[in-house]
Amino acid sequence: MTTLLDLKSSVMRQVQRSQSLRGRREPATSVSSPPSHRPDPQPRGAPEEKGEFFERMNNILQKQENILHADNAECQGGSSTAAPPPEHIDQAFVPDRASRRELDLLYEEAVYTVVNRVGVPSPEYVAGEGDIFSYLLKVFDLGQEEHDITLQRVQESKRASFSLRVSVMKGKNLMAKDANGYSDPYCMLGILLGQSPRETEEKKERKFSFRKRKDKLEKRSSVKEVLAARCIQVTEVKPETLNPVWNEHFVFDIDDVHSDLLHLDIWDHDDDVSVAEACKKLNEVSGFRGMGRYFKQIAKSVRSNGTAASGSEENADDFLGCINVPLNEIPVVGYDKWFKLEPRSSASKVQGECYLILKLFTTQRDTTLSKRDSNIFIHKKMLSQILEYEHAHIQKEPYNWNGQVTPPAWTVLSHHAVQTDLSPLQQAIIRWQCYSSHHRSQRVCYTLLLRLLRTIDAEWDPPEVRGDLERQLSDSFRLHIEHCLGLMKNMRQVFPSSCPSAITRCELMLRGIGHMQTMQAFKTVCPLRNELHLEIATVVKKGTAEWYENIISEYKPEKGALEEQLRRLVQVVDAVCADAQSGQNVYNKLFYSAVKVDFFSISYRQLEKLVADDVSVAMERVCGTLEQESTRLTQSMGETLFELYMSLKTLKRFREFLPLKDAKMLALTSFHNWFKSSIHKWLQIVHERSCDRIRKAVDMDQLEPVHQTKHSSSAVDVTACFSQVQDFWSQLAWPDSAGAFIFVTRLTDNFCSEAVSYSEMIKRKIETSQLGQDHKILTVQLCIALNNTEHVRVFLGGLPRDLDWPGLEQAMEESCGAEGKEQVNKALNGQLYNADLDLQREAKRLITLLTDKMLSELRRYIQHISLSPDSINNDDAVSPLMKYLHDTLVILSESLLKENLTRVLHSMWELLLRMILDTIAENRGVQVEFYNRFQYTVEALLQFFHAEGEGLVLEDMKSGDYKALDEELKLNKCSSFELIEQYFLEKISQQRTLKHTRFGRISVKCYYDAPEQRLTVEILHAADLIALDANGLSDPFIIMELCPHHLFPMAKSQRTQVKLKTLHPVFDEIFYFHVSPEQYRHRFACLIFTVMDYDWLSTNDFAGEAVAPLSDYCWPGRPNASASGKNVQPSILHLSRNKPSEKPIMRMLDARTGDKEAQEFVRRLKEIEKSMEEE
């Protein structure tokens, strides 16, 4: 495993240079439009200007955000009415224009169509010939004279012959004629020859009669008197139903479309003889009056030729109803509806309806084109000419034309389609061919094309499309696909994501292509083109490569010096990022939803590889330059490298939108390795600029609170600087854990050193400007400086969270094990801990400066208390100090943060305690009232600083100097006897804790005889005494005395014999002392054992002492306080040699020069201390 030390020392080595950008081939010039999403280059001022560094760095980060949100903002903010860019036109796909001769022949066809109009026009048609002819003159660009010639030729030509196509589809709700509750219906239909106007009126009066007068037949010629059997058509019989479905089609030749009438009867069939067969076998029938009678005769003839008895009426067919449709009432586009059945007489009872489709069309046209070309070809030419004229006269958004033509055009086209018997499918195919062909030269709305495709799909009937029509439809599909593929290749220019109208067109185009490849018609006529999505993917890939070459050609990243090349590369990468953003947000949704092509994956993988190749070459040169020259990275180069890194990072972020299998093998996966060496130098630049910014912030700081806070502008600027640097780092998002640890360590160290440097600078600023300053202003400035330091310190406390130390620890643990985690924790927390100590040290210095400004005033008020005569009330003596503290506290509360206020108040409290201690030390031996006054002062100060729980904590205040002062005051208020008693209490307390001293120990046995009030003391032996003679031994003896003396005024000291030249003497001596219960009940009553070294020629030397409280031996209930006490175990007392002068009580007693008992007590202790010093 690579150790952390290896990771820290690893730097990027110079690598061999591969291809150069100068070797790039010249980009294709198929598209002259400028590249879309061109990012504006970041403005750069003076490259080394320090003040703009952070602003430029922020601009770099903001630029990346703008790129990521550019498409959404542009699409939302852009005008949806803005015209999309022009679409590229391939002349190979543009259809040829018609010649003048062809236009003249088309005009003749159009005039012929108008002259031979039939059918009832709907409201959208133009009725007047003049209006239609006026429109056609404009369409075909003809004069009036030419029109008159053409019109005369048409009028002299043979009029068109018409036929009627009848589709008997179904019936419903017919009357039941059979016993089973059903009928066996069939239809007989034919054409009733034209009638005179008078007869027509009579027919209207007798609408249920179908018989014609005999004289009507007589008026006709001999030919007309005979009705051919072919004029009568019969449907199949549908047994046992009242809702028959026939779906049978018939065609009738029409003599006079203006007067003839379609007649249809529905009968209930009652025998097994086929009426249809009978109609076919019957040659002709004559002499019958009326079509209804004619149909009935046919039925009778069938039965007479069948198995039924001739003339029998039992099997006669029952009449179910009839329909009469005058041909002159049929609309232009025909009938397609339900017709209500009618009775033939008042005695007839009928019900139900029959669904018919009726359409008139011409069977013979006397025009040049109709004799030469097919009707489909003629109609397509006519529609193309009209479309060209109509589109040319669209004023508003011609690119968004929905294909709707004017009423004259619609009138001509509809009549021509009807007259030439074009089916709905044929008309749909012709319209698709014309509109799609027209679109290739003059774009129309893609919704129109999609609608035309759906119409073909809805009307599709394979048997109807054969031969030329099939080939033409296949060609139209192919040409439209090729045209759309060309647009897809250049879609960034044709359909820019910033133009909502262009994106709408792109979506509709793709939906059209997507719908086309699902159409049965497309699969039928283009059977080999079944992988259209692969063609689209290929075109997208090719278009992406050409677009990138155009970007390279525009920005020319191979020109200029190295830094200029990098800046140009930044522009290239930004353009690619913007393209990836639009690809992911806009184009990919369109392509995938419409044609199931992953546009983003195709384009991004290609662009990412191209960018990686170009940037890696440039970064090899950068690393080589930095390592070879070993020069300092300039600020402008550092900014450029940072900007390039951020652009690449933005581009890499798009990998998350790729399928997982594609995201693993990308060229930019480890692009951060190209920047390792430069990031180190960039961090140094950031540190230097941060120091400059902090220094400038301190210089400009007026030390006034800002924005209702209690810190000044420099603190805001410092933390803002730190936040920006943190943001820079977080935006870098360094993926390598080892490298991230190195950089975070460097950043943390920079932050810490900058924070400490700032606190030092702000303190120096105040120190240099304090001369001549008003005390209050200076106090406020010190408070603000203290708040500034705390503000920065608190900010540093958030570094573990802001720099994601836990995440770094986890990453290092995963890569380097527990050792890596431990080193991260140790290094980073150590840095932060030291910085926190340094900042707290600087804060204490500021607090010291602040309290030092109060010293003179506080001394004056403490001196006032000290010198106040006893006649002055304590409140009056203390009030000046309290007023000063109150006024100061007001200023501090307004200026300091709560944490800092607590620190300052605590410092003031300690300062006051020390000052009072010093005052008391200077005034020892004075009257008790003096100490009572200071005791009152301390209590007042305690309440003031505690402030009923709002200020300092009592437990914190009652420690350290307070305990010493409190004890000092209490002791000074005591009498000399009380002080002496306290002295022995302390000695007893110390004796209890004494163990194994180097001065040795003595073994004694003490027991008390209560009735005799006698204390027996047995001195057994001593051990490990210190050597006080030159021979390394001592001549020890022990002095025993009851203390304090004022409690035992009659008791005298006793001593053992001297044991020569030994450190372990054995005495075995017994001594008796009189001790009354009134004496031993005091806690301070004790027996002092003083070990001395006997000297013949000088004073005896002090070897040590031990204290035994009488309460241990004399109190009732103790083992030693009985007659059997002599049997108790001896006590081991360890000796001590403390200097009495070190005790405060000694100083107090010594200061009482007028007190005889105090002076005598001090004298004796001084003698012992003197003996110790002489040794």
PDB file of all heavy atoms in Angstrom, residues 737-749:
ATOM      1  N   SER A 737      -8.248  10.788  -3.128  1.00  0.00           N
ATOM      2  CA  SER A 737      -8.253  11.000  -1.677  1.00  0.00           C
ATOM      3  C   SER A 737      -6.876  11.407  -1.170  1.00  0.00           C
ATOM      4  O   SER A 737      -6.753  12.280  -0.304  1.00  0.00           O
ATOM      5  CB  SER A 737      -8.728   9.737  -0.963  1.00  0.00           C
ATOM      6  OG  SER A 737      -7.882   8.638  -1.272  1.00  0.00           O
ATOM      7  N   ALA A 738      -5.820  10.787  -1.693  1.00  0.00           N
ATOM      8  CA  ALA A 738      -4.478  11.133  -1.227  1.00  0.00           C
ATOM      9  C   ALA A 738      -4.132  12.570  -1.607  1.00  0.00           C
ATOM     10  O   ALA A 738      -3.631  13.345  -0.784  1.00  0.00           O
ATOM     11  CB  ALA A 738      -3.461  10.164  -1.826  1.00  0.00           C
ATOM     12  N   GLY A 739      -4.407  12.926  -2.844  1.00  0.00           N
ATOM     13  CA  GLY A 739      -4.158  14.308  -3.258  1.00  0.00           C
ATOM     14  C   GLY A 739      -5.029  15.291  -2.502  1.00  0.00           C
ATOM     15  O   GLY A 739      -4.583  16.376  -2.125  1.00  0.00           O
ATOM     16  N   ALA A 740      -6.279  14.895  -2.263  1.00  0.00           N
ATOM     17  CA  ALA A 740      -7.178  15.783  -1.519  1.00  0.00           C
ATOM     18  C   ALA A 740      -6.648  16.013  -0.115  1.00  0.00           C
ATOM     19  O   ALA A 740      -6.737  17.133   0.417  1.00  0.00           O
ATOM     20  CB  ALA A 740      -8.580  15.178  -1.468  1.00  0.00           C
ATOM     21  N   PHE A 741      -6.094  14.987   0.522  1.00  0.00           N
ATOM     22  CA  PHE A 741      -5.541  15.156   1.862  1.00  0.00           C
ATOM     23  C   PHE A 741      -4.379  16.154   1.860  1.00  0.00           C
ATOM     24  O   PHE A 741      -4.286  17.018   2.741  1.00  0.00           O
ATOM     25  CB  PHE A 741      -5.062  13.808   2.387  1.00  0.00           C
ATOM     26  CG  PHE A 741      -4.206  13.916   3.626  1.00  0.00           C
ATOM     27  CD1 PHE A 741      -4.710  14.475   4.790  1.00  0.00           C
ATOM     28  CD2 PHE A 741      -2.892  13.489   3.618  1.00  0.00           C
ATOM     29  CE1 PHE A 741      -3.927  14.586   5.927  1.00  0.00           C
ATOM     30  CE2 PHE A 741      -2.101  13.602   4.740  1.00  0.00           C
ATOM     31  CZ  PHE A 741      -2.616  14.147   5.899  1.00  0.00           C
ATOM     32  N   ILE A 742      -3.520  16.052   0.872  1.00  0.00           N
ATOM     33  CA  ILE A 742      -2.399  16.995   0.780  1.00  0.00           C
ATOM     34  C   ILE A 742      -2.907  18.417   0.617  1.00  0.00           C
ATOM     35  O   ILE A 742      -2.453  19.347   1.300  1.00  0.00           O
ATOM     36  CB  ILE A 742      -1.481  16.603  -0.399  1.00  0.00           C
ATOM     37  CG1 ILE A 742      -0.888  15.213  -0.167  1.00  0.00           C
ATOM     38  CG2 ILE A 742      -0.372  17.629  -0.578  1.00  0.00           C
ATOM     39  CD1 ILE A 742      -0.124  14.667  -1.355  1.00  0.00           C
ATOM     40  N   PHE A 743      -3.878  18.584  -0.277  1.00  0.00           N
ATOM     41  CA  PHE A 743      -4.378  19.933  -0.546  1.00  0.00           C
ATOM     42  C   PHE A 743      -5.172  20.489   0.636  1.00  0.00           C
ATOM     43  O   PHE A 743      -5.065  21.677   0.960  1.00  0.00           O
ATOM     44  CB  PHE A 743      -5.240  19.923  -1.807  1.00  0.00           C
ATOM     45  CG  PHE A 743      -4.487  19.541  -3.051  1.00  0.00           C
ATOM     46  CD1 PHE A 743      -5.079  18.750  -4.026  1.00  0.00           C
ATOM     47  CD2 PHE A 743      -3.178  19.954  -3.240  1.00  0.00           C
ATOM     48  CE1 PHE A 743      -4.381  18.387  -5.165  1.00  0.00           C
ATOM     49  CE2 PHE A 743      -2.473  19.600  -4.382  1.00  0.00           C
ATOM     50  CZ  PHE A 743      -3.072  18.814  -5.342  1.00  0.00           C
ATOM     51  N   VAL A 744      -5.981  19.641   1.284  1.00  0.00           N
ATOM     52  CA  VAL A 744      -6.756  20.109   2.442  1.00  0.00           C
ATOM     53  C   VAL A 744      -5.824  20.472   3.587  1.00  0.00           C
ATOM     54  O   VAL A 744      -6.054  21.456   4.312  1.00  0.00           O
ATOM     55  CB  VAL A 744      -7.775  19.036   2.874  1.00  0.00           C
ATOM     56  CG1 VAL A 744      -8.396  19.380   4.223  1.00  0.00           C
ATOM     57  CG2 VAL A 744      -8.879  18.906   1.830  1.00  0.00           C
ATOM     58  N   THR A 745      -4.766  19.694   3.757  1.00  0.00           N
ATOM     59  CA  THR A 745      -3.780  20.043   4.784  1.00  0.00           C
ATOM     60  C   THR A 745      -3.170  21.404   4.489  1.00  0.00           C
ATOM     61  O   THR A 745      -3.000  22.236   5.393  1.00  0.00           O
ATOM     62  CB  THR A 745      -2.684  18.967   4.834  1.00  0.00           C
ATOM     63  OG1 THR A 745      -3.283  17.691   5.081  1.00  0.00           O
ATOM     64  CG2 THR A 745      -1.687  19.263   5.940  1.00  0.00           C
ATOM     65  N   ARG A 746      -2.853  21.611   3.239  1.00  0.00           N
ATOM     66  CA  ARG A 746      -2.282  22.907   2.837  1.00  0.00           C
ATOM     67  C   ARG A 746      -3.295  24.038   3.053  1.00  0.00           C
ATOM     68  O   ARG A 746      -2.951  25.102   3.589  1.00  0.00           O
ATOM     69  CB  ARG A 746      -1.893  22.822   1.357  1.00  0.00           C
ATOM     70  CG  ARG A 746      -1.367  24.118   0.763  1.00  0.00           C
ATOM     71  CD  ARG A 746       0.072  24.392   1.158  1.00  0.00           C
ATOM     72  NE  ARG A 746       0.580  25.562   0.481  1.00  0.00           N
ATOM     73  CZ  ARG A 746       1.130  25.547  -0.733  1.00  0.00           C
ATOM     74  NH1 ARG A 746       1.234  24.382  -1.390  1.00  0.00           N
ATOM     75  NH2 ARG A 746       1.587  26.638  -1.284  1.00  0.00           N
ATOM     76  N   LEU A 747      -4.525  23.801   2.671  1.00  0.00           N
ATOM     77  CA  LEU A 747      -5.567  24.826   2.851  1.00  0.00           C
ATOM     78  C   LEU A 747      -5.779  25.135   4.329  1.00  0.00           C
ATOM     79  O   LEU A 747      -5.892  26.307   4.725  1.00  0.00           O
ATOM     80  CB  LEU A 747      -6.879  24.352   2.224  1.00  0.00           C
ATOM     81  CG  LEU A 747      -7.085  24.584   0.726  1.00  0.00           C
ATOM     82  CD1 LEU A 747      -8.374  23.933   0.278  1.00  0.00           C
ATOM     83  CD2 LEU A 747      -7.103  26.071   0.416  1.00  0.00           C
ATOM     84  N   THR A 748      -5.850  24.085   5.141  1.00  0.00           N
ATOM     85  CA  THR A 748      -6.067  24.290   6.573  1.00  0.00           C
ATOM     86  C   THR A 748      -4.928  25.082   7.188  1.00  0.00           C
ATOM     87  O   THR A 748      -5.145  26.007   7.993  1.00  0.00           O
ATOM     88  CB  THR A 748      -6.208  22.938   7.283  1.00  0.00           C
ATOM     89  OG1 THR A 748      -7.277  22.197   6.670  1.00  0.00           O
ATOM     90  CG2 THR A 748      -6.529  23.118   8.749  1.00  0.00           C
ATOM     91  N   ASP A 749      -3.727  24.750   6.796  1.00  0.00           N
ATOM     92  CA  ASP A 749      -2.563  25.487   7.304  1.00  0.00           C
ATOM     93  C   ASP A 749      -2.630  26.945   6.871  1.00  0.00           C
ATOM     94  O   ASP A 749      -2.321  27.859   7.656  1.00  0.00           O
ATOM     95  CB  ASP A 749      -1.283  24.827   6.808  1.00  0.00           C
ATOM     96  CG  ASP A 749      -0.042  25.504   7.369  1.00  0.00           C
ATOM     97  OD1 ASP A 749       0.156  25.444   8.594  1.00  0.00           O
ATOM     98  OD2 ASP A 749       0.715  26.105   6.579  1.00  0.00           O
TER      99      ASP A 749
END
